[in-house]
Amino acid sequence: MNLLDRISLINKGGLILVLALFLFSGCESTDDLGLPLEDENLNILYHEITLPTTAVLVDSVNTTRSRILAGKYQHPDLGMVSSTSFNNFSLPTSGATISENGKFDSLVLSLSNSYRYGSGNLNNQIFAHLLQDTIGLTRKYSQDAIPYDMNPVSSLNFTVEDTVNRTLRFIRFPDAMGADLFEKVQSKADEVSTNEKFQQYFKGIALTGSEANEFVLGFNALETLLSLYYHIDGDTTLYRYSFGLDSAIQFNRIVSDRSGTPLASLTEPYQSYDPGTDKFYLQAGTGITPKISFKPFKDFINNIGEEVVINRAEFSIGLDLPGKFTPSPTALQLFPVDEKNKRTVLSSSSFSGITYFYAAINSEVAQSNLVLQPDTVSNQLVYNGIITNYSENMLAGSVSEDILIFADQFSPGEATSSVNQLVTDGDRVKLKIYYTTQKKQ
């Protein structure tokens, strides 16, 4: 029997309003409830449970058509993380051409900075390398790579700023390389007649960071352009013919060296690993995901020995405030997993169909889109999410009691676009439940 059925049986006129105020008040003790319940058979109680955490390595992190990420940084618990971005380009879709009177000026890659992550030396360098093979059209993952010339054709010196203001950065390529591409576009050569032929002729570029880098730098892929600049004698205008990434393939290879860290032995994909540190580890891009077990919650409810209704279940993860250049994930995405730690997609049949009277302001997202949103509290950051519906179905056995947590909010199959990490003590992973019991007669 759910709470609404119980309320109907009690039939107290003002009870729904009072319960609603309680459920949204965030009170942490039943002493403060002040509920004028005339039915002495009902108890409304509060309990807090610390949930156990292990680490799981997910080996298939989609990074196709996300943010361009290049560089590296060091974290004491997670090791060295580095990213190389692979990019091919497509012809303009507008039917643009270069005037037969045009004269080559330069070939420039423009990058719109949109992200930085790391600590240490703010002066970083990015190298541009020519790809030696085509990227292809299939989705790419964080472990994939394309061969490239180890000798860079150009570079960019980059100073990390306090804010990410989408300032354009430019990498100029050798004039001989640009002039050859210019001549082919201007003469409408066969090499630039289709995207497929163009990508065979110019396979693309890889962007890497220098060994001295202490940041992973990010650039907006959709604002990235490879441009031929040219002029016409007697005309002061500088013209541009641009290749973009909008209909091309771009992806990031994100790898980590965890030698000497608590996660050094985390090597086998989809195996639960206990690092023995009682810590929660999460890192976007590398596949390091925490696995949370709700078994203590189920055990607690099952051991009560009375009929229990979950009025509210709040899942929270607390951590210290992050550093200036190490922002925490914008949100945390929860995915149920099976016994092999593979994500499961929930269907509407997984749920009991209970509609809660407070659903209008319930932060739980239907079905598999379970999300924790950040909230700054005093000197810490807390991710919170209401998972009442899911917790009831967990007790009913219709959904998994184990979940994996991913950085940022996305749907299965979407690409990750950051290397943000979250490390916190395991005792800050909590489930807070408000529940109703029927007293024994």
Side-chain angles (χ1 to χ4, degrees), residues 55 75-79 258-266 273-279 281 423:
H75 187 277
D77 288 301
L78 300 170
R258 297 184 288 276
S259 302
T261 73
L263 298 179
S265 298
L266 180 62
Y273 173 71
D274 184 358
T277 58
D278 193 27
K279 283 193 174 184
Y281 298 103
V423 178

Side-chain angles (χ1 to χ4, degrees), residues 290-292 294 315 334-337 390 400-405:
K291 177 182 176 180
I292 308 298
F294 284 82
F315 183 34
L334 281 56
F335 283 103
V337 292
Y390 190 84
S400 174
E401 66 182 44
D402 296 323
I403 62 170
L404 293 184
I405 299 182

Side-chain angles (χ1 to χ4, degrees), residues 37-348:
L37 294 177
E38 298 179 17
D39 190 324
E40 296 181 354
N41 292 322
L42 283 178
N43 277 332
I44 296 183
L45 305 169
Y46 169 80
H47 189 67
E48 185 173 292
I49 302 170
T50 299
L51 299 174
T53 302
T54 53
V56 173
L57 182 64
V58 177
D59 67 345
S60 298
V61 180
N62 177 19
T63 63
T64 304
R65 289 199 178 103
S66 58
R67 178 191 286 129
I68 292 172
L69 297 173
K72 65 183 182 67
Y73 83 96
Q74 180 82 31
H75 187 277
D77 288 301
L78 300 170
M80 179 68 71
V81 175
S82 61
S83 180
T84 298
S85 182
F86 298 90
N87 314 267
N88 66 8
F89 294 86
S90 56
L91 298 168
T93 57
S94 61
T97 59
I98 293 179
S99 168
E100 61 181 14
N101 298 321
K103 294 186 177 180
F104 170 75
D105 180 79
S106 59
L107 175 64
V108 175
L109 178 71
S110 58
L111 300 165
S112 175
N113 62 281
S114 61
Y115 176 84
R116 69 278 187 275
Y117 197 93
S119 63
N121 184 8
L122 300 182
N123 297 314
N124 290 258
Q125 191 173 30
I126 292 175
F127 297 106
H129 307 254
L130 294 180
L131 297 186
Q132 297 175 327
D133 199 358
T134 57
I135 294 180
L137 300 177
T138 59
R139 179 181 296 171
K140 300 295 182 182
Y141 295 86
S142 58
Q143 298 301 313
D144 291 331
I146 304 295
Y148 60 87
D149 189 338
M150 298 303 294
N151 296 312
V153 292
S154 191
S155 64
L156 165 69
N157 293 321
F158 189 102
T159 300
V160 175
E161 300 169 344
D162 286 352
T163 59
V164 177
N165 53 12
R166 295 196 179 279
T167 302
L168 286 177
R169 311 289 177 173
F170 301 96
I171 301 179
R172 180 165 178 165
F173 289 91
D175 285 347
M177 173 182 163
D180 182 70
L181 177 57
F182 180 85
E183 186 279 327
K184 286 180 169 52
V185 173
Q186 188 177 48
S187 65
K188 300 179 182 179
D190 185 61
E191 289 91 337
V192 293
S193 59
T194 66
N195 272 329
E196 182 179 5
K197 291 181 178 181
F198 171 63
Q199 289 163 6
Q200 287 290 337
Y201 158 69
F202 183 77
K203 296 177 175 61
I205 61 171
L207 295 177
T208 66
S210 77
E211 286 300 313
N213 275 27
E214 294 183 307
F215 279 81
V216 172
L217 308 171
F219 306 93
N220 189 316
L222 295 182
E223 296 177 7
T224 298
L225 295 174
L226 180 66
S227 300
L228 287 165
Y229 287 91
Y230 65 98
H231 66 276
I232 298 174
D233 288 343
D235 188 341
T236 58
T237 303
L238 185 64
Y239 295 94
R240 184 178 69 179
Y241 181 98
S242 297
F243 309 89
L245 294 173
D246 52 340
S247 58
I249 292 294
Q250 174 272 325
F251 74 99
N252 303 307
R253 173 175 170 82
I254 305 173
V255 297
S256 63
D257 180 359
R258 297 184 288 276
S259 302
T261 73
L263 298 179
S265 298
L266 180 62
T267 57
E268 194 68 27
Y270 297 105
Q271 299 297 312
S272 297
Y273 173 71
D274 184 358
T277 58
D278 193 27
K279 283 193 174 184
F280 172 108
Y281 298 103
L282 181 149
Q283 189 173 62
T286 62
I288 299 174
T289 58
K291 177 182 176 180
I292 308 298
S293 172
F294 284 82
K295 187 177 184 300
F297 160 66
K298 294 182 67 175
D299 290 344
F300 171 77
I301 297 298
N302 291 333
N303 289 333
I304 290 177
E306 302 176 50
E307 184 180 359
V308 176
V309 172
I310 304 300
N311 306 135
R312 177 185 174 95
E314 179 182 342
F315 183 34
S316 67
I317 300 170
L319 65 149
D320 296 331
L321 290 176
K324 179 189 296 186
F325 298 116
T326 53
S328 296
T330 57
L332 300 180
Q333 183 84 57
L334 281 56
F335 283 103
V337 292
D338 59 21
E339 64 280 359
K340 296 181 179 180
N341 292 326
K342 297 295 185 71
R343 290 185 296 180
T344 60
V345 178
L346 303 180
S347 64
S348 58

Side-chain angles (χ1 to χ4, degrees), residues 316-322 374-383 424 428 432:
S316 67
I317 300 170
L319 65 149
D320 296 331
L321 290 176
D375 181 27
T376 302
V377 180
S378 185
N379 291 321
Q380 64 175 323
L381 185 68
V382 179
Y383 288 85
T424 191
R428 300 169 88 173
K432 302 174 183 180

